[in-house]
Amino acid sequence: MQNHSIRVGIASMGLHLPPLALKVTDLARLRGVEPDKYTLGLGLQDMALCPPDYTVVELATEAAKRALSRWQGKLSDIGLIAVGTESAIDMSRPLSAWVADKLGLKGAVRSYEVKHACYGGTLAVRQALEWKLANPQQAKAALVIATDIALYTENDPGEPTQGAGAVAMIIDEPLIAAIEPKSYAWSEPAFDFWRPLGEAYPRVDGAFSQACYQRAATECFKALIAEDESEKILAELSALCFHVPFPKMVKKAFSQVVQHFGWNEQKIAEFYKTRVEPTMSWNRYSGNAYTASLWIAVANTLRGLTVGEKIAAFSYGSGFGSELLLLKAGPMAHLGEWAKDIEQDMAQRIYIDEHEYLQLRKDIVSPH
Ligand code: HMG
């Protein structure tokens, strides 16, 4: 990882999970599935759910308010707002306009929405970073929000992986984490998961989507790591964060990546247990929040790190596009203040049972 030129990164963070949740064991009972399939087979506990009147705008706005509240700057110091989402509520008006409206943000501000399935949030982060790096005199900061609500058709194999959430980041001084300017992207056009115009739920080729994800992860890590350097490079990283559609997916992808470098099962299991699995302890309770999933894992991982500790973040979006980022903890990472957001939302949220879940689905005429 280059050290010399890193000046930009995450200055503040805020997270938000919606006010409802369902235990995947309750969904398993409803669907007549062995609960272990969802808890052990997929690695999930709960899915976060939104009430009918709760959209990605409410999720994003709350996360943004939280990020802004613990930042030293003012709203007028924001010069760019970018929202990554695949739960857009309009084909034309960007989601950033709704969020900016709620925040009272206007003026000399670049405002837009980014779409590339679950990869859209990471693209927004990269664009904000590159916007800062391209303008060394840039005094303003960027507000980036990844926000999504994941819902599948009833009885779809993806139904237990549903979830929702938002992560907001202020991209400016690297107080929480510096983001390495160099990153490693890989894309291939594919139909693994997509949502045609006018359709409420995605179409998914589950097995193919897993193969695409694993291929993307392997290619990105191959670009970072020379054939004989995997132990050295990965040992320098305190943690590897991945996009988390469900935790078992991450376990499979990590195994595939390091098998490529010739790691044996014992070494894979040890590294996974200590440096990959712990990153997902919040994702098990949010479910797949699409664009926000990776950043929930990153936020979870950064809290408590000491200055200079390095982590990797692998982003994947169906279609498909992917990118591997490197981050280095800044002086405020150890405080981990944003963990309060998740603790508060999880303590306050209401668990509905499987019958209320069915009613909720009826009440949500359109998922967004
Ligand atoms: P499935 O086909 O119903 O599940 O759904 P399965 O039969 O493959 O079983 C899943 C695991 O449970 C297996 O473990 C079983 O053995 C195990 P594995 O062999 O894979 O290690 N299992 C059990 N374990 C314990 N006790 C039991 C039991 N029974 C079975 N009794 C599938 C899986 C991924 C297809 C489904 O969840 C799905 O379609 N999900 C949606 C797509 C998805 O998440 N794909 C992931 C990669 S693509 C991606 O990440 C992008 C995405 O986020 C969208 C975007 O970019 O916008 C989705």
Side-chain angles (χ1 to χ4, degrees):
M1 188 172 184
Q2 297 159 3
N3 288 317
H4 52 277
S5 61
I6 299 175
R7 289 172 292 107
V8 182
I10 304 169
S12 182
M13 278 189 134
L15 291 88
H16 183 43
L17 298 183
L20 301 178
L22 174 71
K23 293 194 176 303
V24 293
T25 48
D26 288 346
L27 179 70
R29 187 165 51 240
L30 177 70
R31 300 300 180 212
V33 170
E34 176 62 42
D36 284 355
K37 175 173 178 184
Y38 294 166
T39 53
L40 303 176
L42 298 177
L44 291 161
Q45 290 295 323
D46 298 344
M47 64 178 70
L49 292 166
C50 293
D53 56 350
Y54 214 86
T55 72
V56 278
V57 177
E58 280 70 37
L59 283 173
T61 305
E62 184 57 29
K65 282 182 178 167
R66 290 172 177 186
L68 288 162
S69 74
R70 48 178 79 103
W71 183 49
Q72 298 298 315
K74 303 183 294 295
L75 198 58
S76 56
D77 296 325
I78 298 293
L80 183 155
I81 174 170
V83 181
T85 191
E86 56 180 295
S87 314
I89 56 176
D90 191 281
M91 281 296 294
S92 182
R93 192 177 197 255
L95 200 56
S96 59
W98 268 272
V99 179
D101 199 16
K102 294 225 178 224
L103 296 175
L105 178 64
K106 61 180 180 178
V109 179
R110 185 180 288 173
S111 168
Y112 61 99
E113 180 183 304
V114 182
K115 183 187 76 174
H116 189 318
C118 302
Y119 180 30
T122 302
L123 283 168
V125 168
R126 288 301 309 179
Q127 289 178 336
L129 176 82
E130 289 158 14
W131 173 75
K132 289 285 292 180
L133 292 173
N135 302 284
Q137 306 312 317
Q138 179 63 260
K140 295 222 171 182
L143 172 60
V144 171
I145 311 159
T147 181
D148 267 306
I149 298 170
L151 285 175
Y152 290 82
T153 316
E154 281 195 51
N155 283 304
D156 186 284
E159 192 180 22
T161 71
Q162 292 174 151
V167 179
M169 288 163 274
I170 292 174
I171 304 298
D172 195 39
E173 279 182 275
L175 297 172
I176 294 175
I179 303 172
E180 168 68 37
K182 186 166 168 50
S183 61
Y184 307 86
W186 187 268
S187 67
E188 291 179 26
F191 278 96
D192 59 330
F193 166 110
W194 70 106
R195 181 152 69 88
L197 282 180
E199 293 190 15
Y201 302 108
R203 297 186 192 181
V204 193
D205 184 336
F208 181 52
S209 74
Q210 294 188 73
C212 290
Y213 181 115
Q214 291 181 50
R215 179 169 164 72
T218 305
E219 292 299 337
C220 287
F221 277 92
K222 273 166 62 184
L224 168 70
I225 302 171
E227 282 297 327
D228 55 350
E229 284 202 324
S230 64
E231 285 196 40
K232 178 175 163 291
I233 302 283
L234 294 186
E236 286 173 7
L237 299 170
S238 301
L240 302 189
C241 300
F242 287 75
H243 165 54
V244 191
F246 53 93
K248 177 65 89 55
M249 178 74 247
V250 172
K251 187 176 189 185
K252 284 185 188 176
F254 169 71
S255 300
Q256 169 129 343
V257 166
V258 287
Q259 273 166 15
H260 168 82
F261 295 108
W263 287 28
N264 64 32
E265 274 185 25
Q266 191 196 341
K267 205 156 81 176
I268 295 173
E270 278 168 16
F271 196 99
Y272 177 77
K273 196 84 199 145
T274 54
R275 302 200 205 182
V276 182
E277 192 177 39
T279 67
M280 297 183 284
S281 60
W282 288 347
N283 298 87
R284 289 183 201 289
Y285 294 90
S286 63
N288 191 355
Y290 292 156
T291 53
S293 283
L294 168 67
W295 296 98
I296 290 173
V298 169
N300 188 4
T301 304
L302 285 172
R303 68 187 168 128
L305 291 191
T306 50
V307 188
E309 278 190 83
K310 296 169 196 166
I311 66 169
F314 170 73
S315 185
Y316 177 84
S318 288
F320 71 80
S322 62
E323 194 159 341
L324 179 62
L325 276 55
L326 295 169
L327 292 88
K328 189 158 80 164
M332 285 171 70
H334 74 281
L335 297 173
E337 287 180 321
W338 53 95
K340 288 182 202 138
D341 299 344
I342 292 289
E343 285 156 11
Q344 176 190 317
D345 290 346
M346 293 231 330
Q348 289 178 357
R349 69 186 184 178
I350 296 166
Y351 280 85
I352 57 173
D353 65 21
E354 64 271 31
H355 308 293
E356 291 166 311
Y357 165 71
L358 282 181
Q359 186 58 48
L360 176 69
R361 289 195 68 113
K362 287 200 186 100
D363 293 343
I364 303 171
V365 178
S366 154
H368 312 305

